[in-house]
Amino acid sequence: MFRGCFIHTIDSKGRTSLPAQYRVALQRRGKQPPFLTNGNEHLLLYPYEDWCAYEQQILSVPRVDPNVQAYVRFMVSGASPCAIDKQGRILIPPPLRARAKLEREVVFAGVGECIEVWDKDRFDAEQARIAARLPEIAMQVASQISPRETKPSE
């Protein structure tokens, strides 16, 4: 489980340090490099095994629907293994860097099973949009959560 938010910089070659706790968790998961792929306005970094499982899930959906075709194309064509070097950095490929508009400050946001990689300004703008709608969003999320079984009072 990835949690928390960290700000790092990206150099002119597209390298950025992974936050230490994420790096340790990714390296503990196995020797295979994590996968980086397209997100909406950001990138998604998955542990190798989790990416493979997710990729198999989306590839198993019948592709008769053009939206499914587009989603698979977007996610799978953007997927790139990102080895962690001895300094704890990953190289973000130029097409992915351009797609997410990553320039200088990069936000790593743990969101459970994966890590989102954002341009800091875009991340801040998205967080502001969310904050402005938080009560509405919270109600929608609450409606999706099963109520806990409660023990009747005695």
Side-chain angles (χ1 to χ4, degrees):
M1 185 76 111
F2 298 101
R3 296 180 181 93
C5 192
F6 304 89
I7 300 171
H8 286 246
T9 57
I10 190 167
D11 69 17
S12 61
K13 295 179 183 176
R15 298 174 300 195
T16 184
S17 294
L18 280 173
Q21 73 183 57
Y22 295 165
R23 182 175 61 247
V24 169
L26 288 166
Q27 290 172 327
R28 235 186 266 147
R29 298 282 303 270
K31 297 207 182 293
Q32 297 292 336
F35 267 86
L36 194 59
T37 193
N38 293 312
N40 189 19
E41 293 186 359
H42 57 281
L43 303 177
L44 300 167
L45 184 66
Y46 283 91
Y48 177 84
E49 298 81 11
D50 294 358
W51 170 254
C52 290
Y54 181 64
E55 189 176 52
Q56 286 306 308
Q57 276 185 310
I58 63 174
L59 289 173
S60 70
V61 177
R63 287 188 240 162
V64 295
D65 182 338
N67 286 331
V68 172
Q69 293 172 17
Y71 184 78
V72 169
R73 181 180 317 109
F74 184 75
M75 296 301 289
V76 177
S77 71
S80 178
C82 290
I84 302 170
D85 71 14
K86 291 179 182 178
Q87 287 79 36
R89 301 173 301 186
I90 58 170
L91 172 65
I92 300 176
L96 290 176
R97 221 168 40 236
R99 169 82 181 71
K101 296 183 171 48
L102 302 179
E103 293 182 20
R104 183 79 182 130
E105 288 186 301
V106 177
V107 174
F108 289 91
V111 293
E113 75 282 351
C114 70
I115 301 160
E116 294 180 346
V117 184
W118 288 80
D119 169 77
K120 185 179 181 311
D121 291 340
R122 289 178 104 181
F123 181 79
D124 291 346
E126 178 64 12
Q127 291 295 82
R129 280 191 293 274
I130 292 167
R133 296 182 45 236
L134 194 56
E136 171 193 340
I137 293 169
M139 291 296 291
Q140 185 176 358
V141 171
S143 74
Q144 301 294 315
I145 298 173
S146 301
R148 293 189 179 122
E149 292 187 3
T150 56
K151 192 175 179 180
S153 35
E154 297 175 6

